[in-house]
Amino acid sequence: MKILVPVKRVIDYNVKPRVKADGSGVDLANVKMSMNPFDEIAVEEAIRLKEKGPAEEIIAVSVGPAKATETLRTALAMGADRAILIETDETVEPLGVAKLLAKVVEAEAPQLVILGKQAIDDDSNQTGQMLAALLGWGQGTFASKVVVEGDSVDVTREVDGGLETVKLKLPAIVTTDLRLNEPRYASLPNIMKAKSKPLEQKTPEDYGVDIAPRLKTLKVVEPPVRQAGIKVADVDELVAKLKALGVA
Amino acid sequence: MDTESFDLLLDTLRRFVAERLRPLEAQVADTDAIPDSLIAEMREMGLFGLSIPEEFGGLGLSMVEEIEVAFVLGGTTPAMRSAFGTNVGIGSQAIVQDGNDAQKAAWLPRIASGEIITSFALTEPDVGSDSGAVKTRATKAKSDDGADGYRLSGSKRYITNADKADLFTVMARTGGEGASGVSAFLVPRDSAGLSVGAPEAKMGQQGAHVCDVNFDDVFVPAENRVGPEGEGFKVAMRVLDRGRLHISAVCVGVAERLIADAVAYATQRKQFGQPISDFQMIQAMIADSKAECMAAKALVRETARKKDAGARITLDCAAAKLIASEMVGRVADRAVQILGGAGYIADYGVERLYRDVRLFRIYEGTSEIQRLIIARETIKAGG
């Protein structure tokens, strides 16, 4: 079984993002970038499935600028077998990414696509679902447990009311939640070996996909600074204030 | 190594240090032990093989690369680095630099994987800075089954990782007085007559152990001698040159950590209605620490570059060790001062690092010995 793992290069989770002065987006100049943490969990899950048996090959794929090769090298160092970069300097929206991934799926015929439930830069939480719709495959989103058995996969999902387990016929889409696993560190020898693993370079045009944006960003603003609280003299005043605010 | 792979390697190490090692620092200090599970993680990461050539299963880092790694490792308590530090440095380098093919094949793969721990035994109860005066004797002898070799008798002191070591590089006297009478030997832990004392109670670096190692008529086969007879002191000095450079880089790493800790505190802590980092006397301490640290870092990088280019670096390594170890001592002292009362309280960790870094001015050659080397080499070269 082949597993396809899409990974995205995003602003590092430790970095405090700053909005550009003109409000057009987040300033990424000289900012540390890393693999989207949910995608790391996806890579780890694929590796575990390979270590346990059901998977034979793991292909990492990324849509993004040339620098996204670093993200793919990370996936290769962790244990992916080969990688595909679909290079573009344009902003690609989730639908565009899903359409490109659908083409990669067509070419590679994986039985399972495991991807992060969302990327921590735009928090869209759409790509996996859109890919499932485009392919007509079953989807198990927000996975906290993944068990492959024969020609199906059991996915335990983190839903509002607790946990829900769905059985999906393969091929299928799985999106990862935070508690699925704890991703490994790539070992230093494997980081060195990653360089010799195959990394294929493609462009959106190679797949004939129109990635032109469908959405327009009007404005990006910093979250408002938290206002100082007010002190009240007694409970009566507290109740009066709460009523005035319409929350009691 | 290509830049992209090496950047990824450093990045991964930074995360490992921040997420796995730093959170366990206090526990390691309190229990005077590094958890086995953490040692296993270090093995998994490949840390024991940083300096072992690739053909023997290590990473084969150049010196320029190794010091960048050491800067990162300095971000956590030095005891953590000590777990694999002897395999990277003084415990393995006699074999890497001066070992024959058979010795390399026999030991290096297991050193690189961390399967065995190595130790370097030069210092003795009566022999410290005057290291050419070792008293441990190696006398030519036959083993019980008639093999050629030596019998070692004597004591070694303050031997890092001795309690965990499987293999010792031992300097012992095969000839007459002085440095030219010393030879180097590889002595396995399980050799009959070899015993290791209890770990010493120390000022800092809890979790890393030093012990006495005693040799009571220990037979060592002739093929375990590293280099020719009488060349042991030179072997040891080459090992120490390299070790000093690595230690210098660790000093810089710890200093960078201390500066970051001090700045984090100074920008949060308010007195007289403002962060103490607004006060010029605090700023002066931060500025001095930062500038001195940058100077030491530049010297370490330059020396590593020269070593990779094949230059003789005895003077440079001594200078780097002197400058970097004295620098981190001052930086630690200022960090305690910036934290004030908190700097003296164990919970903040700065007082622990203050005690830890004191050793850097003593081991692998005291500051005084480094000055002697620098002066000797400078006078010899005429300036």
Side-chain angles (χ1 to χ4, degrees):
Chain A
M1 175 169 92
K2 262 193 216 177
I3 301 180
L4 185 70
V5 187
V7 294
K8 186 177 184 183
R9 180 174 184 266
V10 298
I11 187 167
D12 187 83
Y13 73 99
N14 285 311
V15 174
K16 188 176 184 297
R18 284 178 208 284
V19 172
K20 285 186 202 163
D22 64 0
S24 62
V26 172
D27 190 0
L28 295 179
N30 298 319
V31 169
K32 181 168 157 55
M33 306 290 280
S34 300
M35 188 191 295
N36 176 38
F38 290 106
D39 299 346
E40 274 196 321
I41 295 172
V43 175
E44 175 66 32
E45 196 62 21
I47 298 168
R48 291 188 189 187
L49 284 171
K50 190 178 170 188
E51 285 169 350
K52 274 186 266 175
E56 282 129 30
E57 189 183 27
I58 301 165
I59 307 155
V61 56
S62 191
V63 179
K67 281 271 191 186
T69 51
E70 290 171 10
T71 310
L72 289 168
R73 292 277 176 225
T74 306
L76 293 171
M78 286 174 73
D81 297 291
R82 58 191 173 92
I84 303 168
L85 171 67
I86 305 175
E87 189 180 336
T88 173
D89 287 326
E90 304 302 317
T91 304
V92 191
E93 292 170 355
L95 183 60
V97 175
K99 283 177 180 172
L100 286 168
L101 293 178
K103 293 288 184 184
V104 175
V105 166
E106 215 171 86
E108 297 287 350
Q111 287 295 93
L112 202 55
V113 180
I114 308 180
L115 61 173
K117 69 169 181 177
Q118 67 196 64
I120 61 165
D121 51 359
D122 59 17
D123 280 343
S124 291
N125 187 349
Q126 294 169 347
T127 306
Q129 294 88 331
M130 286 174 167
L131 179 61
L134 289 171
L135 295 170
W137 291 7
Q139 58 178 306
T141 50
F142 316 131
S144 64
K145 194 177 174 195
V146 175
V147 181
V148 174
E149 272 193 28
D151 60 354
S152 68
V153 56
D154 290 349
V155 180
T156 304
R157 308 180 57 231
E158 301 207 352
V159 294
D160 285 348
L163 297 174
E164 176 191 70
T165 303
V166 293
K167 187 182 268 299
L168 309 171
K169 197 168 170 346
L170 294 174
I173 309 287
V174 172
T175 75
T176 62
D177 215 322
L178 211 55
R179 277 167 286 271
L180 178 59
N181 61 49
E182 202 180 316
R184 72 194 60 195
Y185 297 92
S187 77
L188 307 185
N190 285 344
I191 289 171
M192 293 177 69
K193 285 178 204 141
K195 193 72 185 176
S196 53
K197 290 184 177 179
L199 197 159
E200 207 179 335
Q201 309 256 6
K202 296 277 197 182
T203 64
E205 293 75 46
D206 293 338
Y207 294 101
V209 173
D210 168 21
I211 56 163
R214 269 56 168 176
L215 306 169
K216 191 175 161 201
T217 301
L218 300 180
K219 197 167 61 162
V220 176
V221 292
E222 300 256 1
V225 178
R226 190 164 172 264
Q227 301 294 314
I230 49 167
K231 279 186 183 167
V232 291
D234 51 35
V235 174
D236 289 344
E237 195 192 341
L238 174 66
V239 173
K241 292 264 187 203
L242 289 175
K243 280 190 173 152
L245 288 167
V247 291
Chain B
M1 199 184 311
D2 63 287
T3 318
E4 191 183 293
S5 298
F6 191 59
D7 284 347
L8 179 56
L9 185 148
L10 289 180
D11 228 39
T12 305
L13 265 183
R14 273 186 210 105
R15 274 182 66 183
F16 186 70
V17 166
E19 295 169 8
R20 299 295 307 142
L21 302 185
R22 276 190 70 154
L24 290 171
E25 286 178 1
Q27 182 197 319
V28 165
D30 290 346
T31 57
D32 193 19
I34 299 173
D36 289 344
S37 59
L38 198 57
I39 301 277
E41 281 184 57
M42 291 171 178
R43 277 199 197 101
E44 192 78 15
M45 282 292 284
L47 290 171
F48 287 86
L50 291 175
S51 64
I52 310 295
E54 272 185 88
E55 53 187 309
F56 298 108
L59 291 181
L61 295 185
S62 67
M63 204 65 217
V64 165
E65 291 166 340
E66 186 181 322
I67 55 141
E68 295 296 327
V69 166
F71 292 151
V72 174
L73 295 171
T76 187
T77 180
M80 298 276 197
R81 187 207 60 91
S82 226
F84 53 87
T86 49
N87 276 31
V88 173
I90 53 178
S92 69
Q93 290 305 311
I95 307 175
V96 172
Q97 296 178 10
D98 293 288
N100 59 35
D101 291 347
Q103 288 165 341
K104 287 179 181 176
W107 296 107
L108 292 183
R110 287 188 286 160
I111 294 174
S113 68
E115 182 193 328
I116 61 168
I117 302 292
T118 56
S119 217
F120 178 80
L122 171 62
T123 299
E124 298 179 359
D126 296 329
V127 179
S129 291
D130 185 10
S131 52
V134 295
K135 290 181 174 170
T136 298
R137 279 291 337 165
T139 314
K140 274 208 164 124
K142 299 254 185 216
S143 70
D144 296 340
D145 46 14
D148 283 335
Y150 300 83
R151 289 201 176 267
L152 268 61
S153 285
S155 287
K156 296 290 179 180
R157 178 145 291 177
Y158 308 145
I159 304 306
T160 304
N161 280 348
D163 54 335
K164 299 177 192 75
D166 303 284
L167 181 70
F168 296 87
T169 303
V170 182
M171 304 305 145
R173 187 163 303 282
T174 46
E177 296 277 291
S180 60
V182 177
S183 302
F185 298 93
L186 301 173
V187 186
R189 167 64 167 266
D190 54 13
S191 306
L194 188 157
S195 61
V196 174
E200 305 282 356
K202 315 195 299 310
M203 175 179 179
Q205 299 209 10
Q206 274 69 28
H209 295 164
V210 298
C211 318
D212 279 3
V213 182
N214 300 306
F215 301 87
D216 181 11
D217 210 23
V218 175
F219 179 77
V220 179
E223 64 260 28
N224 281 20
R225 196 189 65 233
V226 183
E229 256 191 33
E231 290 287 309
F233 188 73
K234 286 183 190 156
V235 170
M237 290 305 111
R238 273 194 292 272
V239 168
L240 287 176
D241 273 352
R242 198 177 182 293
R244 281 168 187 160
L245 193 49
H246 182 101
I247 294 295
S248 306
V250 174
C251 290
V252 169
V254 178
E256 288 180 332
R257 150 81 182 270
L258 281 161
I259 294 169
D261 284 359
V263 167
Y265 185 86
T267 50
Q268 294 291 321
R269 170 74 173 171
K270 286 188 177 144
Q271 287 294 284
F272 305 102
Q274 52 187 317
I276 61 169
S277 57
D278 287 356
F279 295 116
Q280 291 186 343
M281 277 193 265
I282 298 290
Q283 290 179 0
M285 287 194 273
I286 292 171
D288 286 349
S289 291
K290 182 69 181 175
E292 289 178 18
C293 180
M294 289 171 71
K297 193 172 191 174
L299 177 58
V300 171
R301 281 185 164 147
E302 170 63 10
T303 305
R305 196 189 58 71
K306 279 173 89 170
K307 174 162 194 323
D308 285 345
R312 187 165 180 273
I313 49 157
T314 298
L315 187 158
D316 307 74
C317 289
K321 165 82 163 44
L322 173 68
I323 294 291
S325 63
E326 295 281 333
M327 176 277 295
V328 72
R330 291 190 298 273
V331 168
D333 187 73
R334 290 188 199 108
V336 171
Q337 195 67 17
I338 291 170
L339 267 78
Y344 201 69
I345 301 297
D347 284 355
Y348 291 83
V350 171
E351 65 82 31
R352 171 164 41 74
L353 288 170
Y354 174 85
R355 286 182 285 111
D356 288 347
V357 302
R358 190 63 183 81
L359 182 60
F360 292 137
R361 288 154 62 189
I362 300 169
Y363 75 171
E364 301 204 22
T366 61
S367 289
E368 291 66 37
I369 289 294
Q370 308 307 335
R371 286 187 177 94
L372 287 180
I373 295 170
I374 296 164
R376 182 192 72 208
E377 296 290 319
T378 305
I379 292 165
K380 201 160 54 176

